[in-house]
Amino acid sequence: HGHILLTDHNDEAWFRYLKIRATTTAAAFTPLLPLPAPRLIESAKPYPGDAYTPNHLFDGNPKTEYSSDNRGTNTFVEVELLADVRVGAVRHVDRDDPATVAASELVFTDADGRATGTFPVLHPASRGAETFFVLPSPVSARRARWRGIRLGPEGLGTVGGAELSFWAAGDPEPAPARRRPAARPPRQ
């Protein structure tokens, strides 16, 4: 079994270790590093007005949200990751609203548009819930498409999210090489 090490760009964030099944015994830890906000390429039509635009998914503010205009399971965002990267994880924070996502699909493609990985993701389907999905193994990607494929218990179609972020898989390490900071509350 291996572990994944989460860190921020400056190695000053909380560290969490997630146990995953390792495909190799050469390294026990893979650091996950948050990627810069991606560039929005396309999305389902947002809810009318400026309060629910898809760029809110990438602004780092969990109080702003993207909501589709009642597109339900046709709600999606497609982004460019700004560089070819090995994606190791994706984080989604649901809307603080009864319109939640119970499952989504992630599709990664290379710069030529060829699919490099497709993954179904289960979500808690509750207001403001966070889903941190670690890919079974990292995939090389230039673009990503997130799509809600199952609605939460209320069945409301104005789904989307408050945050969506992508995490690169760093080079495997035999043991964590980064300094573990003193415990502190998460940044808001």
Side-chain angles (χ1 to χ4, degrees):
H1 294 288
H3 292 82
I4 290 182
L5 175 64
L6 295 181
T7 181
D8 71 1
H9 295 291
N10 300 317
D11 289 337
E12 293 296 322
W14 289 67
F15 287 88
R16 293 187 276 172
Y17 297 92
L18 301 174
K19 196 168 191 175
I20 64 167
R21 183 178 191 106
T23 57
T24 177
T25 58
F29 293 89
T30 300
L32 291 177
L33 308 160
L35 292 168
R39 182 177 68 84
L40 181 68
I41 297 171
E42 186 180 11
S43 72
K45 180 180 176 187
Y47 193 81
D50 293 332
Y52 298 100
T53 66
N55 283 318
H56 287 160
L57 287 169
F58 315 110
D59 65 5
N61 181 354
K63 300 213 182 288
T64 62
E65 300 177 341
Y66 162 61
S67 170
S68 73
D69 188 14
N70 205 30
R71 297 298 193 245
T73 56
N74 290 317
T75 299
F76 74 94
V77 292
E78 186 171 343
V79 298
E80 183 176 15
L81 300 174
L82 307 181
D84 294 327
V85 65
R86 285 178 359 119
V87 178
V90 177
R91 177 180 175 260
H92 175 268
V93 178
D94 218 330
R95 297 183 60 216
D96 187 14
D97 186 273
T100 59
V101 175
S104 67
E105 177 185 68
L106 293 165
V107 178
F108 295 97
T109 57
D110 63 17
D112 296 323
R114 290 185 298 264
T116 58
T118 300
F119 304 94
V121 180
L122 295 177
H123 296 259
S126 60
R127 297 173 81 121
E130 179 177 341
T131 301
F132 194 87
F133 178 71
V134 178
L135 280 62
S137 61
V139 296
S140 294
R142 179 61 180 234
R143 292 186 172 191
R145 182 179 179 101
W146 176 92
R147 181 174 70 94
I149 60 172
R150 190 167 66 225
L151 302 178
E154 301 290 328
L156 301 172
T158 52
V159 294
E163 293 297 311
L164 182 63
S165 59
F166 298 88
W167 298 64
D171 293 329
E173 304 169 349
R178 289 161 175 75
R179 181 178 56 85
R180 185 182 177 117
R184 65 173 183 233
R187 292 181 220 159
Q188 293 296 328

